[in-house]
Amino acid sequence: MKKHLQHPIFKKLSELADATGTEIYVIGGYVRDIFLNRPSKDIDIVVIGNGIKFAEAAGKLLETKVSVFKNFGTAMLRYGDLEIEFVGARKESYRLESRKPIVENGTLEDDQKRRDFSINAMALGLNTASFGSLLDPFDGVKDLENKLIRTPLNPVETFSDDPLRMMRAIRFATQLDFTISADAIEAIKKNSERIKIVSAERITDELNRIILAKKPSIGFIYLFDTGLLKHIFPQMAELYGVEVIAGKGHKDNFYHTLQVLDNLAENTEDLWLRWAAILHDIAKPATKRFEPGHGWTFHGHEDRGARMVPKIFAQLKLPLNEKMKLVQKLVQLHLRPIVLAQDVVTDSAVRRLLFEAGEEIDGLMLLCNADVTTKNEYKIKKYRSNFNLVKQKLKDVEQSDQLRNWQPPVSGEDIMKAFNINAGRDVGIIKTQIREAILEGEIKNSKEEAYEYMLEKGKAMGLIPVKLKP
């Protein structure tokens, strides 16, 4: 293993440890990533003794600032592009109502026992006498080979002590495409309600990492099957299931949503586009109706879904800023390109879509393309053909009319000056008429044509122009 410790930092820390008579090890993710052949810039050092004191000595040696976090008993420094965290070896005990441990000094064995998973409990010696030697008491290497997420100790105890580890187990399984051990799955089911003692911020941080994985559905299926989803994101859990009346059923909107999410993930790593995929049908349970002779309908689910977005973002402690507004807009508009693709594509309809979507039009088209989950090859072929026509129309109309992030070519101030009137209802009427004329293709999206149109409509309303040129 010595070949994986060639970076100069390991030799410097080794020499410091020998000089101060301190026993140290590199542990956790850095060691795991060696076996996964993944580069890592984060190094965790466990110190048998006082981790903060050793970190401060390392800071002096390396001539770099040390950040100390006394509440956690840790310290961190940066060395080049590396971030190195130091902690004293410890053993932990927990109270039932909290995931904050009671910490005591411990041995390396104690420290490895408290780690979340066997693959994160492996350590490499850094002292000269043991430099590069692997200490793997819980067969982490074997679990990596078997692609298995397993806890070092009894998983019921591990997850009860720190319920966030249930989310972490699912996150690692999703990111690495590993399987969670059967006893760990049962332990998560048994402890799922204890996730409520974890802050929404910490839960959502893990959830976002699941969403950003190559195939996010892996994580959401684990979350649903273990019962965690109904506690952390009940609106999504409610999408599950198929109701049948008079022999007519509807698709399972939970698994449809996961398919849309996976489809989208193949084409973008944008977290907020992925959230739009998750929420695009979120209001279907609330809008589901059975119409005799027709079947199941979900009328207005896009409007209801858009109204649900702010509440869900607040609940999950997601940002209530332009990111939330982007997701809300995509949920609101997600049916529009699909409807266009199923009908005759008019320039007017395309202009309106561009006008409403603005800069989000590309993301909206990605989402709508991902929303095709039918297994019917004929439908897929027909839809793709029509969808490509919509995309070409969008491109053509955008080039000719420039409606993305549209601003009125004639402003309210222009109208007031032209007719010497104050702000009021007449100004609003004329602005709306100009917008509609542009969207319908009656006039071009230009200052000159819009101004002439304004004069015409104003005169028809009985207004007298005092300024005949823009």
Side-chain angles (χ1 to χ4, degrees), residues 29-152:
Y30 188 88
V31 182
R32 177 198 69 226
D33 287 344
I34 288 173
F35 290 94
L36 291 173
N37 293 313
R38 299 198 311 182
S40 181
K41 301 295 183 184
D42 298 324
I43 299 174
D44 291 331
I45 303 293
V46 65
V47 179
I48 312 304
N50 191 319
I52 292 175
K53 183 179 178 181
F54 185 82
E56 289 172 337
K60 288 180 181 179
L61 174 69
L62 301 170
E63 298 180 339
T64 187
K65 179 186 174 184
V66 176
S67 300
V68 175
F69 308 96
K70 286 189 177 179
N71 289 346
F72 299 97
T74 64
M76 188 270 287
L77 60 80
R78 295 183 186 278
Y79 184 73
D81 59 349
L82 299 176
E83 187 172 290
I84 307 168
E85 186 168 300
F86 300 83
V87 63
R90 57 194 186 183
K91 54 185 176 181
E92 299 174 343
S93 57
Y94 290 80
R95 293 159 294 184
L96 191 63
E97 74 283 0
S98 173
R99 59 178 290 266
K100 294 180 180 178
I102 300 168
V103 178
E104 302 174 72
N105 291 337
T107 63
L108 175 66
E109 183 182 3
D110 291 327
D111 199 88
Q112 288 175 300
K113 284 180 181 178
R114 75 174 183 84
R115 299 278 162 172
D116 50 8
F117 310 115
S118 62
I119 62 173
N120 293 332
M122 299 181 290
L124 292 175
L126 287 184
N127 295 83
T128 301
S130 61
F131 193 82
S133 60
L134 177 66
L135 293 95
D136 182 19
F138 304 109
D139 291 326
V141 172
K142 185 177 179 182
D143 287 341
L144 285 171
E145 292 171 351
N146 293 331
K147 295 190 170 186
L148 187 67
I149 302 295
R150 189 172 58 84
T151 60

Side-chain angles (χ1 to χ4, degrees), residues 389-401:
L389 178 61
V390 173
K391 287 197 288 187
Q392 186 58 50
K393 279 270 191 181
L394 280 167
K395 189 182 295 185
D396 295 342
V397 170
E398 170 64 9
Q399 286 176 351
S400 63
D401 293 358

Side-chain angles (χ1 to χ4, degrees), residues 425-444:
R425 182 169 173 269
D426 287 345
V427 175
I429 290 172
I430 293 173
K431 283 181 71 176
T432 299
Q433 288 176 326
I434 292 170
R435 184 193 70 205
E436 290 300 306
I438 291 171
L439 294 178
E440 287 298 325
E442 294 175 27
I443 61 173
K444 290 181 180 179

